[in-house]
Amino acid sequence: MRHRKLSMPELHRVDVATFRQQPKSPVVLMLDNVRSLQNVGAMFRTADAFGIESLALCGITGCPPHRELHNAALGAEDSVAWHYFASAEDALTQFRAQGYKILVLEQCEGSVLLNQVLHNVTEKWVFVVGNEVEGVTQSVASVADLCVEIPQRGTKHSLNVATAAGILLWEWLRGAW
């Protein structure tokens, strides 16, 4: 069987203004000291694809506007809401006061494999991903309601942070569609 790729008009994508008005999944993706602007841009694009509420950019994480971030985001930095916080700890205090639960994507004592987590997709969550080398800071992991890790079979102990964020969002939200 031969497959024909769809053209851009055939994809029926919404414009930025319409996207901003659409209902969003009650998920905030928090980037805790992510150093690569390419990773930040990729996560903007992923956030757009999954229709999540917003990104929380913390610490040394780069913010728009920036050419390198834009090159990976392909304009998603214009459609996805985002906020900057000097520290992840301060941001989590604010989110918790607004009724969010905290999920940390990290290998921790007592972490649960992502594919084994039972959850309600209507609950408000902040998903925290960390620095490319150090991961999520211990002070952030310590306050998490849930620590999850992605099952892996290879010799490496981690995935690229943007890849991991995409897997987390897909697995968490796939039941919502």
Side-chain angles (χ1 to χ4, degrees), residues 39-60:
N39 282 333
V40 176
M43 288 188 268
F44 264 99
R45 196 165 161 191
T46 300
D48 177 279
F50 288 112
I52 67 169
E53 190 176 299
S54 65
L55 291 180
L57 310 177
C58 301
I60 67 166

Side-chain angles (χ1 to χ4, degrees), residues 9-169:
E10 290 175 304
L11 293 176
H12 304 291
R13 298 294 187 216
V14 298
D15 60 23
V16 170
T18 303
F19 177 84
R20 287 184 180 164
Q21 298 302 315
Q22 290 177 332
K24 305 288 186 291
S25 294
V27 171
V28 173
L29 180 61
M30 178 178 289
L31 286 58
D32 181 16
N33 290 312
V34 173
R35 64 183 179 170
S36 165
L37 289 169
Q38 293 167 338
N39 282 333
V40 176
M43 288 188 268
F44 264 99
R45 196 165 161 191
T46 300
D48 177 279
F50 288 112
I52 67 169
E53 190 176 299
S54 65
L55 291 180
L57 310 177
C58 301
I60 67 166
T61 304
C63 299
H66 195 283
R67 182 182 53 81
E68 193 173 341
L69 187 156
H70 175 76
N71 287 344
L74 293 179
E77 72 276 25
D78 298 326
S79 60
V80 175
W82 63 273
H83 307 282
Y84 175 77
F85 299 89
S87 77
E89 294 83 358
D90 291 343
L92 290 176
T93 298
Q94 290 182 36
F95 283 116
R96 197 173 289 286
Q98 296 171 27
Y100 287 84
K101 294 182 180 178
I102 312 303
L103 179 151
V104 169
L105 184 59
E106 187 61 81
Q107 297 161 339
C108 298
E109 286 182 351
S111 63
V112 179
L113 294 178
L114 175 59
N115 60 321
Q116 296 176 353
V117 175
L118 299 175
H119 63 283
N120 178 339
V121 296
T122 63
E123 291 180 325
K124 294 166 46 170
W125 285 89
V126 174
F127 292 170
V128 185
V129 297
N131 178 273
E132 292 87 343
V133 175
E134 301 297 325
V136 174
T137 58
Q138 182 59 57
S139 60
V140 170
S142 295
V143 300
D145 295 299
L146 179 63
C147 289
V148 299
E149 60 182 280
I150 298 169
Q152 299 175 55
R153 294 184 178 175
T155 61
K156 301 300 175 193
H157 67 278
S158 66
L159 295 164
N160 169 276
V161 65
T163 300
I167 292 168
L168 171 60
L169 288 167

